[in-house]
Amino acid sequence: MRQHKLALCKHHFLEWVCDQTERNINKYKMFTKGDRVLVAVSGGKDSLALWDALNKLGYTTGGVYINLGISGDDQYSLKSQSLAEKFASDHNLVLHIVNIKSDYGKTIPEFSETNKRGKSKPCSVCGLLKRHTMNEIGSRKGYDVLVTGHNLDDEVSVLFNNVLGWQVDFLRRQSPLIPAKEGLIPKAKPFCRFYERETAAYAILANIEYIEDECPFSEGSTTIQNKELLNHLEHQRAGTKLAFYLKFLRAKKELFADLEDDKYTEALFSCPTCGQPTPKQGNCAFCRMVTRS
Ligand code: AMP
Ligand code: FES
Ligand code: ZN
């Protein structure tokens, strides 16, 4: 690992990932051993590696898998669901499964066709549905925190994009931990300091079976273009991505210290249909989407 000036054997690498995960959880005060942790598992390397590490560290975890009804050439959703299920049963862990088509009547591509948000690609409809569903399951099943497998490359790509467009609101909110708010369970990203190569190496060395294909809709996305660009910079100077992210977290305290944090503190309303919090009175964006389609 050039960025850390560190070379480890298999045994010590697996141990290192678990130790660093625990350090990250404590550093950003994400959760404790007494909490019930809900892991959002996509069947990919990051979220399964995260579930594995948390389980090895002795945290109390359950998983949630959302079947989005995406087929592509390779039955993307079916394949990823079966890998998430296999991991859960091999490790004797609970996995909650949500099927968007059977629960809400349509698959993600179908919702996207009938929805303004998804004129080009279904990704924004998909993001809205995932956020809503994860929070709904987490709250209903009594979990204390929701964790996702976002890694450093994901975070840096989003950060880069937000800086390019000076999206101040998004920059203010980008954080390893989004604290709880009325009706919203806290969200944490314990892998946010690991390079994608490191989470992939962990998954392989820990013998985790994961889906290698990306979602078919991610092809040509801005996120992927940003990742390529940032990999280029990283190649020229090892550690660039980590420094960009960590220095941002430090600078954030200063940048936003004297700005009123109105977006965090503004009151939320309860959606009359689903009961989940929403920034405006009336049905939440999720319910509007489901009823409109
Ligand atoms: P992505 O936005 O696809 O890069 O995924 C980021 C994180 O969101 C993953 O590491 C998972 O923790 C979670 N996630 C993505 N897709 C799903 C899904 N279908 N079901 C549950 N969690 C998911
Ligand atoms: Fe949601 Fe691809 S559109 S995962
Ligand atoms: Zn609603």
Side-chain angles (χ1 to χ4, degrees):
M1 293 177 280
R2 284 200 307 150
Q3 65 280 6
H4 303 305
K5 297 192 175 63
L6 187 64
L8 298 171
C9 67
K10 171 180 168 174
H11 171 78
H12 286 117
F13 178 77
L14 292 172
E15 213 173 71
W16 178 82
V17 170
C18 287
D19 288 350
Q20 294 297 316
T21 304
E22 181 120 273
R23 277 183 66 168
N24 223 17
I25 291 168
N26 295 335
K27 180 173 173 57
Y28 297 107
K29 299 188 171 54
M30 293 179 176
F31 46 87
T32 65
K33 291 267 158 70
D35 286 326
R36 290 185 69 217
V37 182
L38 180 62
V39 187
V41 279
S42 63
K45 62 183 186 325
D46 302 296
S47 48
L48 286 176
L50 174 61
W51 204 4
D52 188 74
L54 293 179
N55 193 35
K56 281 188 184 137
L57 286 165
Y59 287 98
T60 308
T61 59
V64 55
Y65 173 83
I66 306 167
N67 186 313
L68 306 161
I70 296 174
S71 40
D73 294 338
D74 232 1
Q75 292 299 325
Y76 177 74
S77 287
L78 274 181
K79 210 161 130 187
S80 50
Q81 177 170 335
S82 73
L83 290 167
E85 284 173 324
K86 181 176 185 312
F87 182 90
S89 74
D90 285 353
H91 295 81
N92 216 1
L93 291 162
V94 173
L95 178 68
H96 310 280
I97 295 182
V98 181
N99 189 302
I100 295 297
K101 172 95 177 175
S102 39
D103 287 8
Y104 303 110
K106 285 185 180 182
T107 64
I108 290 289
E110 287 165 355
F111 269 125
S112 160
E113 261 169 44
T114 45
N115 212 281
K116 261 208 322 277
R117 275 178 175 256
K119 271 265 158 63
S120 47
K121 283 193 176 210
C123 304
S124 89
V125 163
C126 177
L128 170 66
L129 250 138
K130 282 198 281 205
R131 283 193 299 278
H132 177 95
T133 309
M134 287 175 192
N135 189 63
E136 197 273 324
I137 289 277
S139 317
R140 185 158 49 86
K141 302 279 181 186
Y143 285 92
D144 298 296
V145 58
L146 171 76
V147 298
T148 54
H150 290 96
N151 59 38
L152 180 73
D153 293 58
D154 298 325
E155 291 302 289
V156 166
S157 162
V158 169
L159 173 59
F160 184 70
N161 214 40
N162 290 342
V163 170
L164 276 186
W166 288 116
Q167 313 253 38
V168 179
D169 274 352
F170 291 158
L171 286 169
R172 190 188 337 216
R173 266 174 285 178
Q174 186 170 0
S175 170
L177 171 73
I178 314 268
K181 212 175 150 178
E182 258 180 280
L184 292 174
I185 68 168
K187 277 195 257 170
K189 301 169 187 170
F191 269 8
C192 64
R193 289 169 73 138
F194 287 124
Y195 282 73
E196 196 168 314
R197 282 189 73 214
E198 294 164 358
T199 60
Y202 181 92
I204 293 165
L205 296 174
N207 291 324
I208 297 170
E209 262 186 81
Y210 63 87
I211 183 157
E212 286 179 38
D213 315 330
E214 296 281 343
C215 164
F217 295 109
S218 68
E219 211 184 304
S221 67
T222 316
T223 308
I224 291 189
Q225 286 168 5
N226 287 349
K227 283 185 177 176
E228 281 169 8
L229 194 65
L230 289 154
N231 282 342
H232 186 67
L233 297 176
E234 178 76 25
H235 183 72
Q236 286 175 333
R237 190 182 297 180
T240 301
K241 289 192 277 195
L242 188 59
F244 183 43
Y245 184 60
L246 295 183
K247 287 181 181 175
F248 159 70
L249 293 183
R250 232 172 289 149
K252 223 181 108 178
K253 292 188 192 137
E254 233 176 283
L255 286 172
F256 300 121
D258 56 350
L259 284 181
E260 213 188 314
D261 211 352
D262 50 349
K263 284 283 183 304
Y264 270 157
T265 51
E266 76 185 3
L268 291 175
F269 300 92
S270 176
C271 168
T273 307
C274 70
Q276 286 218 42
T278 161
K280 292 192 189 133
Q281 247 168 339
N283 275 343
C284 70
F286 171 85
C287 290
R288 289 202 306 274
M289 182 185 82
V290 172
T291 49
R292 195 188 303 136
S293 307

